[in-house]
Amino acid sequence: MSDLSKDTATLRSFNMGITEQLGVLHDRYLDLPRPYSQARILWEVGHDTVRVRDLRARFDLDSGYASRLLGALADAGVLRIEPDPDDGRGRVVTLTTAGRAECDALEKASQDRAERILGALPDRQRGELLGAMGTVTRLLDAAAVGIAVADPDSEAVRLCFGRYFAEVDERLDVGFDPSASTPADGDDLRPPNGTVLIADLRGTAVGCGAVKLHDGVAEIKRMWVSPDARGLGIARRLLDALEAYAADHGARLVRLDTNAALNEAVALYERSGYRRIPAYNDNAYATHWFEKDLMSWFEKDLMSRFEKDRASAAD
């Protein structure tokens, strides 16, 4: 059996054990009237108004199953489905009075179950369990992150760019005015000129990065990861994906600029094989400029052989 097969067998065994321990296989989750799938939706909605499309994205539900699940809860009188006042094509859900009471009962039963599990363990084992759960949660979040191309004018890109601008403005002593920096938006970030990538975690945009293409030289722009998603390796994955996109579209060199105050970014680029170079632009906010050769060792070897053969033929 390969290492991957052994690892997947271990993960599957863990999944079966944890679902049994938490009682999610019963049709009355936590001895309440509903199976886990319905109870989880009630808890997610809670005392708020939630868009159906956000619920679908959060749990990766297809539209048919989501409609049946929400319809069953609406028929039971615990959930109300209404048109989205901000989107005529969408719908929102809220809990009824009966639904809020059931959600509160679910919260209490869940708390009681957690206390029973933790209370059965001595302090040392409890700490060990909580530490292991933190690690598992972090790594499962990392595995759940997806990276995809997005339109520069999409809601996700506007959100991420806006949060990127706000963070840079806060961290730079001189503040930050996007209009005074090197432009990177609109058609600059659409093929054939470039692209924007968005990192998504269960329906929420948690990171972004962009690349502009210039005659064999690419420029990385707008690298940002949400503070609550840092430590999952998202920035490195975004950078790798942007480099791969640049290489696939003919770039053999990639450049970027950053500011010394963004120390995490500086460290990422240095770990990723970028070397510092003199300023290649007049970005007033940049203090460091970096460059990386995208040619692989194999490509460099072929190029070297080609140049030697051409030189020999010329002689």
Side-chain angles (χ1 to χ4, degrees), residues 147-221:
I147 294 177
V149 172
D151 186 271
D153 293 330
S154 67
E155 179 182 353
V157 172
R158 290 197 303 269
L159 170 68
C160 286
F161 280 13
R163 294 187 64 186
Y164 163 79
F165 295 148
E167 181 170 347
V168 175
D169 182 59
E170 180 181 342
R171 295 182 62 173
L172 268 56
D173 291 338
V174 296
F176 181 73
D177 178 3
S179 65
S181 67
T182 307
D185 50 32
D187 288 341
D188 285 341
L189 303 180
R190 291 190 180 93
N193 303 317
T195 195
V196 185
L197 300 181
I198 289 293
D200 177 277
L201 177 58
R202 300 187 181 92
T204 299
V206 295
C208 62
V211 62
K212 297 167 63 176
L213 303 174
H214 311 283
D215 298 325
V217 178
E219 184 178 21
I220 303 291
K221 302 293 295 182

Side-chain angles (χ1 to χ4, degrees), residues 59-243:
F59 299 111
D60 193 24
L61 303 175
D62 67 66
S63 58
Y65 180 69
S67 294
R68 292 192 296 274
L69 187 58
L70 294 174
L73 291 169
D75 291 343
V78 295
L79 182 145
R80 185 180 299 109
I81 307 172
E82 298 174 312
D84 186 341
D86 299 321
D87 181 359
R89 298 171 299 175
R91 296 175 301 163
V92 296
V93 294
T94 55
L95 299 186
T96 63
T97 300
R100 289 193 293 272
E102 196 168 312
C103 184
D104 291 341
L106 174 65
E107 176 67 23
K108 182 180 184 306
S110 181
Q111 179 69 19
D112 290 345
R113 171 68 65 87
E115 290 178 357
R116 285 200 302 274
I117 292 173
L118 294 177
L121 298 173
D123 290 346
R124 180 184 61 79
Q125 289 184 327
R126 183 186 306 171
E128 187 177 345
L129 173 62
L130 293 174
M133 289 170 62
T135 299
V136 168
T137 298
R138 178 175 59 83
L139 295 177
L140 288 178
D141 282 347
V145 173
I147 294 177
V149 172
D151 186 271
D153 293 330
S154 67
E155 179 182 353
V157 172
R158 290 197 303 269
L159 170 68
C160 286
F161 280 13
R163 294 187 64 186
Y164 163 79
F165 295 148
E167 181 170 347
V168 175
D169 182 59
E170 180 181 342
R171 295 182 62 173
L172 268 56
D173 291 338
V174 296
F176 181 73
D177 178 3
S179 65
S181 67
T182 307
D185 50 32
D187 288 341
D188 285 341
L189 303 180
R190 291 190 180 93
N193 303 317
T195 195
V196 185
L197 300 181
I198 289 293
D200 177 277
L201 177 58
R202 300 187 181 92
T204 299
V206 295
C208 62
V211 62
K212 297 167 63 176
L213 303 174
H214 311 283
D215 298 325
V217 178
E219 184 178 21
I220 303 291
K221 302 293 295 182
R222 309 292 190 248
M223 282 284 296
W224 174 82
V225 174
S226 176
D228 55 8
R230 290 172 190 172
L232 302 180
I234 296 174
R236 182 57 186 264
R237 287 179 59 189
L238 281 168
L239 187 59
D240 288 347
L242 291 169
E243 291 175 0

Side-chain angles (χ1 to χ4, degrees), residues 23-24 26-40 42 72-73 75-79 98-99 102 106:
V24 300
H26 300 288
D27 60 358
R28 294 173 59 87
Y29 178 61
L30 296 176
D31 296 324
L32 294 173
R34 313 203 175 279
Y36 178 79
S37 57
Q38 294 184 8
R40 186 68 178 86
L42 287 178
L73 291 169
D75 291 343
V78 295
L79 182 145
E102 196 168 312
L106 174 65

Side-chain angles (χ1 to χ4, degrees), residues 13-68:
S13 177
F14 172 82
N15 289 342
M16 288 186 284
I18 199 68
T19 53
E20 179 182 351
Q21 178 73 13
L22 298 181
V24 300
L25 301 179
H26 300 288
D27 60 358
R28 294 173 59 87
Y29 178 61
L30 296 176
D31 296 324
L32 294 173
R34 313 203 175 279
Y36 178 79
S37 57
Q38 294 184 8
R40 186 68 178 86
I41 293 296
L42 287 178
W43 187 88
E44 189 68 22
V45 175
H47 291 254
D48 297 322
T49 297
V50 180
R51 296 186 298 184
V52 171
R53 69 175 184 177
D54 291 341
L55 284 174
R56 286 183 55 201
R58 173 73 176 84
F59 299 111
D60 193 24
L61 303 175
D62 67 66
S63 58
Y65 180 69
S67 294
R68 292 192 296 274

